[in-house]
Amino acid sequence: MSSSGHSQMQAVPASDPFELLGVKLNPDDTLSRPAFPDMPAMSDPDLPIPILSKDVPVNPSRRTWFRVLLPRDRVRGPPGGKLPLVVYFHGGGFILFSAASAVLESLFEDLVLLLPAVVVSVEYRLAPEHRLPAAYDDALEALEVIRTTKDEWISTYADLSNCYLMGGSSGGNIAYHTGLRVATGGLNDLKPLNIRGLILHQPFFGGMKRTESELRLFHDRALPAVVTDLMWELALPIGADRDHEYCNPTTDSNPGLAAMEKVRSLGWRVLVAGSSGDPLIDRQVELVKVMEEKGVSVVSHFIDGHCHGAELSNREGSMILARVIKDFMSVTTMGC
C-alpha cells in the first residue's frame, strides 16, 4: 500500500480496511480489487521512449510471467557490455497490483537508466486466492525461467552473473524469503545465474506485539495498522498469526535465522532501506540487527520522513533510492 506525503501528514482514524483499500472479500474467498492501470509493454526500438519492455511467460497455468525492461539506447546504440540484472518483486500487501502496474513506471525508469540495469519485474499470484507461500513459489519459478531462457534480451543484455533480488514493501518480503530459499538449495542449480545480494526497500514484516513505530503511526495515512492487519490476514496461511515465519523474521523459532548462515557463507550483501515515516521501520531496523549478529554483510539506509511507498508517488524519492542502490551495487561488484 502506498501513498504520497510524509509522516507529518494528518492521521486517519481507524475504520474499515476494506473501504480504505477499495477491495471487497467475496463469499468464495476471492477478492474484488480496484482496476489499477497497467503499463503496456513497448518493445519497438524505433519508439522515442527511454526504456523498452516486453513480457515473457513463466507458467501459463498459473498466469505468471515477467516483464523485461532495458535502456533503449542499448538496443539502438553501439554494442556495450552487459548490464546487471535486477529481479524485482512489486508491493501491494500481497493482495494488490501487478508486475506492470503504472505506479511503478518512474521507479523502473530510474532503476533502468540510473543504475543502469536490466530489470525483470515478476508477476506472482496474489492472495487471498493464492496465500503464501504461493508468491515465494512463483518467485523461484521465475528465477528458474530467467536462468534457462533463450530470450534474446536477457541473453544479450543481462549479466546473469551479476544478479540482485529486489522488492518494495511486500515485494521486499518476497525478495527476502526467495533469497533464503535459494541460499538453502531451493533451486537445484543456479548457474549461470549468480545472485550477488538482496535489496529490501521498506520490506513488509509484522508481528503480534506492536513495535514503537507501529504504535506511533497506528493511524498512519499511508499504511494504518488496520490495513496491515488485513493484508496479513488475507495473505498468511489460514490459521496462522503474525508471528508466523513468513511475517515475523526475527522470532527465536524462525527457521530463517539458520538460513542467514547460508546467506553469509555465500558472500551475499543485503541492503535494507527505509524511512522514519513508515510504521514498519522498527521491524526493518531489527532485521538489520539480527542479520549483523548472524555475520551477514548488511547495509542499512534509513532516512527521516517519507511514508511507506513514497518512492512510487514522489519522483525525487525514487531517484534517491536508485542512487542508493547504485552505490550499494558498485561496492558489491568491486568486492567480488
Side-chain angles (χ1 to χ4, degrees), residues 33-40 55 63 65-67 69 88-105 108 121-126 170 312:
R33 302 170 174 85
F36 296 109
D38 282 345
M39 301 175 288
D55 298 335
R63 299 182 180 178
W65 47 273
F66 56 73
R67 175 159 296 185
L69 305 102
Y88 183 87
F89 305 98
H90 68 83
F94 306 104
I95 66 173
L96 298 173
F97 301 125
S98 80
S101 288
V103 71
L104 299 168
E105 183 172 12
F108 284 164
S121 177
V122 176
E123 177 76 352
Y124 55 85
R125 290 169 294 169
L126 299 178
S170 57
L312 301 181

Side-chain angles (χ1 to χ4, degrees), residues 1 7 38 40-41 50-51 82 96-97 104 119 130 156 162 165 169 193 207 209 217 224 269 280 296 320-321 335:
M1 184 65 178
S7 59
D38 282 345
I51 63 175
K82 291 188 175 184
L96 298 173
F97 301 125
L104 299 168
V119 173
H130 306 282
T156 303
N162 190 13
L165 306 184
S169 189
L193 196 64
K209 183 179 179 180
L217 297 168
R269 297 178 75 238
L280 307 181
V296 176
I320 291 172
L321 176 61

